[in-house]
């Protein structure tokens, strides 16, 4: 019996037919839009190569001619539209930019009490860090600034400043971060205000008879913890005094905690006179930086109504109460305006009217919830 052929057993007979779907039959995939744009840019660059070469030759030739003439300065280029406007004569009717004035240090201190670290969630600590940053910025840029101390600075809040915020707070000027609580901060503030760097009586303090009397008698000021639960209302800020602001963002979970904290230490409390001047469609609870900014504005103007209007967010729906007026709107001036008829409204009046119209609209629960993360505790309700 004959054995099978070796070739047929190895090769399996005839070679199989080639597959119809081979790589040789495939066409290249189409280019994407980005690839087409890049291809066109490359083509345009290559097409302009000769022109760029001619321009370089021309510039080199001009440079050599300037050197032979004794000057290597290029001819003045035609100013662009923006530069041309700057060189033209200024419009005499255009408002002039305010000149930067030197900041004046006042003998008054604000303390942000951050001793509520364990009571806040991570997102609330993030909001508080932003509020402390804004409070520092407002005080640093204010024409009349206070001494600023951040007390009980530790825990998760300090970790955030050291890591996420890259430790930039260590370069801040005019602010102190301490481990001690608000009582320790108040004692340090008292020593600071009595030192050579304590500050000068200027702005509202410069016009206040009580401030001058305090300075003559060498008396110490007061230490007040600001909280909306206090039965007492703050009528004015006093020199050589320390005002403590509760640094907490808790969505009103811990009601009355700042008031209880102050009472346990036997400390005087007070609330900002918001209710005496403003009608609000929401709670009288403000973010820490808003409280600082309001007091800075009062130090400059001596006018609570104006300070509240300038600072309180419009979403709070704040409008002046009936009968409340700004200091610049004296009864005599109002009577004179009534006798002369309605004058043309100024930008100042337009601003106040727009604020009132905004405050007249009721804030929805969704808007309040959306912004509540930025609303910390001045003063817990």
């Amino acid at each position: 019996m004959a054995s099978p052929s070796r070739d047929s057993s190895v090769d399996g007979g005839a070679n199989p037919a080639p597959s119809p779907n081979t790589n040789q039959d495939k066409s290249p995939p189409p280019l994407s839009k980005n690839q087409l744009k890049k291809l066109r840019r490359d083509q345009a660059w290559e097409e302009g190569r000769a022109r760029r070469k001619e321009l370089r030759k021309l510039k080199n030739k001009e440079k050599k001619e300037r050197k032979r003439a004794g000057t290597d300065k290029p001819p003045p280029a035609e100013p662009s539209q923006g530069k041309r406007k700057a060189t033209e004569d200024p419009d005499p009717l255009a408002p002039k930019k305010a000149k930067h004035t030197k900041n004046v240090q006042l003998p008054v201190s604000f303390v942000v009490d951050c001793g509520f670290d364990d009571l806040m969630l991570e997102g609330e600590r993030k909001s508080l860090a932003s509020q402390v940053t804004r409070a520092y910025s407002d005080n640093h840029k204010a024409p009349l600034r206070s001494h600023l101390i951040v007390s009980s600075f530790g825990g998760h809040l300090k970790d955030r400043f050291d890591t996420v915020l890259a430790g930039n707070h260590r370069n801040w000027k005019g602010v102190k971060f301490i481990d001690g609580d608000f009582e320790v901060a108040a004692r340090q503030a008292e020593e600071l205000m009595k030192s050579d760097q304590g500050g000068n009586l200027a702005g509202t303090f410069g016009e206040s008879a009580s401030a001058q009397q305090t300075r003559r008698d060498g008396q110490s000021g007061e230490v007040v913890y600001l909280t909306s639960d206090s039965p007492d209302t703050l009528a004015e800020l006093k020199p050589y005094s320390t005002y403590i602001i509760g640094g907490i963002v808790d969505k009103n979970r811990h009601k009355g905690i700042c008031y209880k904290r102050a009472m346990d230490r036997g400390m005087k409390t007070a609330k900002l006179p918001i209710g005496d001047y403003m009608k609000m469609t929401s709670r009288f609870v403000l973010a820490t930086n808003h409280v600082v900014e309001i007091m800075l504005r009062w130090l400059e103007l001596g006018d609570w109504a104006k300070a509240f209007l300038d600072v309180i967010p419009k979403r709070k729906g704040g409008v002046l109460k009936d009968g409340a007026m700004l200091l610049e709107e004296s009864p005599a001036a109002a009577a004179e305006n009534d006798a002369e008829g309605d004058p043309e409204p100024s930008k100042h009046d337009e601003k106040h009217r727009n604020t009132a119209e905004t405050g007249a609209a009721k804030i929805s629960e969704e808007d309040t919830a959306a912004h509540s993360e930025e609303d910390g505790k001045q003063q817990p309700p």
Side-chain angles (χ1 to χ4, degrees):
M1 182 175 180
S3 61
S5 172
R6 183 175 180 85
D7 293 337
S8 62
S9 63
V10 174
D11 298 334
N15 293 331
S19 173
N21 297 327
T22 61
N23 292 335
Q24 297 177 354
D25 297 336
K26 287 185 177 180
S27 58
L31 297 177
S32 65
K33 290 183 178 180
N34 289 336
Q35 289 173 331
L36 288 173
K37 288 181 180 179
K38 186 176 183 301
L39 181 61
R40 295 191 189 101
R41 285 197 301 268
D42 293 342
Q43 291 174 349
W45 176 262
E46 291 298 328
E47 292 172 358
R49 185 182 297 275
R51 172 154 180 80
R52 291 195 300 274
K53 185 176 180 180
E54 292 296 328
L55 289 175
R56 284 195 299 271
K57 288 182 178 179
L58 182 60
K59 287 185 178 180
N60 290 334
K61 183 179 179 180
E62 292 176 351
K63 187 174 182 180
K64 290 178 180 179
E65 291 177 354
R66 289 196 301 271
K67 282 185 177 181
R68 284 196 295 268
T71 175
D72 193 21
K73 294 182 179 180
E78 183 180 355
S80 61
Q81 184 176 3
K83 293 182 179 179
R84 188 181 298 114
K85 288 184 178 180
T87 56
E88 291 175 354
D89 294 336
D91 185 0
L93 300 180
K96 295 182 179 180
K97 292 184 179 180
K99 293 183 179 180
H100 177 72
T101 57
K102 186 177 180 181
N103 306 83
V104 178
Q105 178 68 61
L106 299 182
V108 65
S109 299
F110 300 156
V111 173
V112 180
D113 176 17
C114 296
F116 307 94
D117 194 68
D118 295 336
L119 302 179
M120 293 184 290
L121 305 176
E122 183 60 30
E124 294 167 345
R125 296 189 193 100
K126 179 179 178 181
S127 294
L128 178 60
S130 298
Q131 292 174 17
V132 171
T133 302
R134 293 173 187 171
Y136 160 74
S137 177
D138 291 337
N139 186 62
H140 183 71
K141 295 183 296 185
L144 302 174
R145 65 173 61 163
S146 72
H147 298 286
L148 183 63
I149 301 178
V150 180
S151 65
S152 299
F153 185 64
H156 298 285
L157 181 65
K158 184 177 184 299
D159 290 341
R160 179 173 181 81
F161 271 89
D162 288 338
T163 56
V164 178
L165 302 181
N168 291 326
H169 65 287
R170 300 188 189 96
N171 300 322
W172 293 358
K173 300 183 183 301
V175 60
K176 295 177 66 175
F177 292 84
I178 66 172
D179 297 331
D181 64 8
F182 59 94
E183 286 186 309
V184 175
R187 289 194 292 269
Q188 291 190 13
E190 182 180 3
E191 295 175 0
L192 182 59
M193 288 183 288
K194 290 181 178 179
S195 69
D196 295 337
Q197 293 79 33
N200 301 315
L201 295 177
T204 304
F205 286 167
E207 303 168 359
S208 171
S210 61
Q212 300 294 341
Q213 184 67 32
T214 301
R215 184 174 187 176
R216 285 195 297 269
D217 298 343
Q219 300 175 358
S220 299
E222 56 186 2
V223 179
V224 182
Y225 204 119
L226 298 177
T227 164
S228 61
D229 291 296
S230 175
D232 300 321
T233 301
L234 188 68
E236 63 176 356
L237 302 183
K238 298 180 180 179
Y240 309 102
S241 297
T242 300
Y243 299 93
I244 304 169
I245 307 158
I248 179 173
V249 181
D250 68 342
K251 313 296 176 59
N252 204 31
R253 291 192 308 273
H254 306 285
K255 296 182 179 180
I257 188 170
C258 289
Y259 181 70
K260 183 177 184 301
R261 187 178 180 88
M263 296 303 294
D264 290 344
R265 306 290 183 94
M267 185 170 289
K268 181 179 179 179
T269 64
K271 58 189 174 184
L272 293 180
I274 301 175
D276 294 346
Y277 294 90
M278 306 289 289
K279 290 189 296 185
M280 307 280 285
T281 59
S282 61
R283 298 177 297 129
F284 289 177
V285 179
L286 301 175
T288 302
N289 58 292
H290 290 151
V291 180
V292 170
E293 189 178 359
I294 285 171
M295 293 194 292
L296 290 172
R297 290 294 287 161
W298 186 90
L299 290 172
E300 182 181 355
L301 304 170
D303 187 348
W304 286 117
K306 184 71 167 65
F308 292 143
L309 282 175
D310 288 349
V311 177
I312 292 179
K314 290 184 178 181
R315 66 175 182 271
K316 290 283 187 180
V319 295
L320 282 178
K321 276 188 171 182
D322 295 338
M325 64 175 60
L326 305 176
L327 290 184
E328 60 194 42
E329 297 174 351
S330 63
E336 183 179 352
N337 289 337
D338 290 340
E340 295 178 355
D342 295 333
E344 182 179 356
S346 64
K347 292 183 178 179
H348 183 75
D349 298 329
E350 286 287 343
K351 177 182 176 182
H352 287 175
R353 184 167 67 247
N354 292 337
T355 303
E357 292 173 354
T358 303
K362 184 177 181 181
I363 300 178
S364 65
E365 295 181 358
E366 291 80 8
D367 290 339
T368 304
H371 294 288
S372 59
E373 182 176 347
E374 295 298 329
D375 292 335
K377 290 277 183 182
Q378 153 205 355
Q379 320 172 5

